[in-house]
């Protein structure tokens, strides 16, 4: 078992390495981006808080992305990204 | 401790601390002699002691990159100046060339070789931010510049002090360009004093311990710190981490793309894919990129290792970048706002990758820290002050941003800046005494720290106006981090606030004062509301009011896992609003007692989970 972070670890599952949530849910292969297998929500920046570009300086180029575990609905990660930008694969172990 | 240099361990222990103390004394000398606001109050400077090859043995605790970058400058002098103009005892070299190593043109370095009986034993140096070194733009930024030729002047290392004597011709050349030559003069004398004090103390040490011992100690310190850092790296898992930080400038967004790969005891920071350079202003050069990466690495992995040796840290790192990108600008791209432009993107991207590497380790998980405020709002002010004299000021209060949340506790509220453990902001009274301005408030701002199981530190907000003058004729306001938060959250943590700058012109503030009231927000004041462009040169009239809201630190972990009592404390302390408590943290408070309503909180948190269950794969 390899710790990935607060919520995820990499385990051997049927001979393949996989991302597993602390709740036991297997998200998907560790050779992939875990975000692909998480539940996803993309929102305007204002969802991240009332003081996140409140006057929309520069328009609304950015989005707020949230990823949660389909097993326990724990929020595993959040990203600030340009609208339409592909999901960032943030870890490879 | 085992290194290839043979010094007995007791001597080594004494001397590594002595060398650190000497470098600190050089910094103290600068502050005491200067009296300039930047050097004495904001502490936007640093000192370093280097060995004869130009490797940094120790940097001070101020802005790390100021000390780290002296290595590049000294190595340039060693490589290029041996014969002409020569390097001799008593010489000091002044440099603000970002393509050599200065962070941007306003960061002026003065470095000096240290000799003992005719032998070069090391170097000492200091770099201090200067409010104005000349050029078309007042202060540090030339708005609209299309190359470095339209920014502040650049000088590669020049031998300003020759065998102990300041060359009047070169000093005149240096001062003449600036709008604030007296300030340059104060700091030049202070930098000279700093180098003199460090050189003298090192020579006393040599007299006491012998030349061979001191020289060996210099090298042994760097080797020792390197061994310590590499052994830390060896304990961490190998892997690759990525983060993209965004710099908002003009109409464009500049993504800074970092792929950080750790293998055994080495880290590679690869910035391939980062946005092309801007014509001027926001970029940084490659030597500066190296210094920034070294600094953020030291912040995450150098803790507890004394002395902080950037020479050692640099040996553990490789920095890959593409020439022509905004983190690796090529001549003649301008870089006048590098320290509050590209630098912040690099710190931000580096922080996230390093934090995530630590998070993969059972041993180092407690060292995980979300990124800090990594952006800026600066007001460079010029005009006639309340005493009728020309003045220049840099209002750097944004530096009191929030610290990133840790994996086991909240980030420090108004904690400052990552990579600058000892910086400060000037007191309100100091600003008001020196400059024609009056503060209506300066406070920790609600809902600026990134929510999370552990919350990012909140940021500073402030409101001020011109005072005792009809106007401040030139206010150069330049900000980044307005469009997206840099203190992003990690592991479900939410991001910090963005910076927000707003103005109200021609207000009724004097009427409000006459009624004996002190407004606590812009909403309580009548006037013409304005959101200024990100970079603007404007004038501020006597009843105009400017408000800044800072960036906090990123949050750590799922906000609905935060202890409801901590959320209640934050609401009581006005660090989190009741709306955010409910919407983001899922904590419902009793409106009378402001204590958590346990049942309603459980229901609200279940409701948030049900919302998430409806998200798509
Ligand atoms: Zn789960």
């Amino acid at each position: 078992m390899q710790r990935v972070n607060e919520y995820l670890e990499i385990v051997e599952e049927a001979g393949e390495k996989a991302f597993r949530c602390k709740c036991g849910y297997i998200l998907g292969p560790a050779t992939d981006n875990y975000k692909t297998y998480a539940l996803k929500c993309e929102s305007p920046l204002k969802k991240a808080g009332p003081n996140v570009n409140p006057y929309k300086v520069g328009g609304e180029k950015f989005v707020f992305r949230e990823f949660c575990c389909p097993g326990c609905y724990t929020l595993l990660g959040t990203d600030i990204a340009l609208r339409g930008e592909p999901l960032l694969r943030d870890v490879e172990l | 401790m085992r290194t290839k240099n043979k010094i007995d361990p007791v001597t080594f222990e004494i001397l590594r601390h002595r060398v650190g103390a000497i470098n600190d004394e050089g910094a103290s000398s600068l502050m005491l002699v200067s009296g300039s606001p930047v050097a004495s109050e904001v502490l936007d400077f640093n000192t370093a002691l280097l060995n004869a090859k130009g490797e940094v043995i120790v940097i001070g605790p101020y802005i790390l990159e100021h000390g780290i970058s002296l290595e590049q400058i000294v190595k340039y002098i060693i490589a290029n100046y041996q014969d002409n103009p020569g390097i001799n005892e008593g010489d000091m070299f002044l440099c603000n060339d970002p393509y050599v190593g200065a962070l941007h043109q306003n960061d002026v370095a003065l470095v000096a070789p240290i000799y003992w009986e005719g032998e070069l034993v090391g170097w000492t140096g200091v770099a201090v931010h200067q409010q104005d070194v000349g050029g078309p733009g007042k202060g540090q930024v030339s708005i609209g510049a299309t190359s470095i030729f339209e920014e502040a002047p650049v000088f590669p290392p020049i031998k300003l002090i020759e065998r102990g004597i300041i060359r009047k011709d070169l000093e005149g050349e240096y001062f003449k360009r600036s709008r604030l030559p007296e300030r340059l003069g104060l700091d030049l004398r202070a930098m000279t004093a700093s180098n003199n004090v460090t050189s003298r103390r090192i020579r006393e040490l040599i007299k006491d311990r012998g030349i061979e011992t001191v020289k060996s100690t210099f090298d042994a310190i760097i080797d020792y710190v390197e061994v310590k850092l590499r052994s830390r790296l060896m304990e961490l898992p190998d892997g690759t981490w990525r983060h993209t930080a965004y710099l908002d400038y003009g109409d464009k967004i500049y993504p800074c793309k970092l792929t950080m790969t750790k293998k055994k005891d080495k880290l590679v920071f690869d910035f391939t894919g980062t946005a092309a350079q801007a014509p001027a202003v926001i970029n940084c050069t490659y030597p500066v990129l190296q210094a920034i990466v070294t600094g953020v690495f030291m912040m995450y992995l150098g803790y507890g290792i004394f002395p902080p040796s950037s020479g050692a840290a640099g040996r553990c790192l490789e920095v890959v970048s593409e020439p022509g990108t905004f983190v690796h600008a090529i001549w003649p791209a301008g870089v006048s706002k590098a320290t509050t432009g590209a630098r912040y993107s690099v710190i931000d991207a580096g922080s996230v990758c390093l934090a995530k590497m630590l998070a993969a380790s059972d041993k180092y998980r407690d060292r995980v820290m979300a990124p800090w405020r990594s952006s800026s709002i600066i007001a460079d002010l010029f005009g006639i002050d309340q005493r009728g004299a020309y003045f220049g000021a840099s209002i750097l209060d944004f530096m009191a941003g929030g610290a990133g949340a840790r994996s086991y506790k909240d980030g420090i509220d108004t904690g400052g800046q990552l990579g600058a453990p000892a910086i400060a902001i000037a007191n309100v009274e100091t600003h008001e005494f020196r400059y024609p301005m009056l503060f209506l408030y300066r406070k920790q701002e609600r809902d600026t720290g990134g929510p999370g199981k552990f919350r990012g530190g909140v940021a500073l907000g402030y409101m001020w106006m011109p005072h005792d003058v009809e106007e401040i004729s030139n206010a150069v306001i330049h900000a980044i981090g307005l469009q997206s938060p840099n203190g992003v959250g990690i592991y479900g943590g939410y991001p910090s606030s963005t910076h927000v700058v707003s103005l109200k012109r021609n207000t009724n503030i004097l009427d409000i004062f006459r009624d004996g009231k002190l407004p606590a927000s812009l909403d309580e004041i009548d006037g013409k509301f304005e959101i200024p462009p990100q970079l603007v040169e404007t004038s501020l009239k006597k009843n105009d009011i400017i408000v800044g809201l800072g960036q906090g630190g990123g949050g750590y972990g799922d906000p609905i896992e935060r202890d409801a009592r901590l959320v209640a404390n934050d609401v009581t302390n006005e660090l989190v609003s009741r709306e955010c408590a409910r919407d983001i943290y899922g904590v419902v408070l009793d409106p009378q007692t402001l204590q958590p309503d346990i049942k309603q909180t459980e229901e609200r948190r279940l409701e948030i989970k049900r919302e998430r269950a409806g998200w798509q794969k």
Side-chain angles (χ1 to χ4, degrees), chain A residues 21-25 69 71-74:
Chain A
C21 177
K22 65 178 170 53
C23 72
Y25 184 90
C69 168
C72 64
Y73 311 120
T74 296

Side-chain angles (χ1 to χ4, degrees), chain B residues 21-35:
Chain B
I22 289 172
N23 188 60
D24 281 353
E25 194 182 346
S28 304
S29 307
L30 175 95
M31 285 186 257
L32 290 170
V33 174
S34 167

Side-chain angles (χ1 to χ4, degrees), chain B residues 559-570:
Chain B
I560 66 170
E561 289 186 2
R562 183 166 176 79
D563 185 331
R565 288 165 303 182
L566 295 179
V567 177
N569 282 345
D570 286 344

Side-chain angles (χ1 to χ4, degrees), chain B residues 1 7-14:
Chain B
M1 205 285 303
I7 311 167
D8 77 81
V10 174
T11 303
F12 180 76
E13 280 306 294
I14 294 167

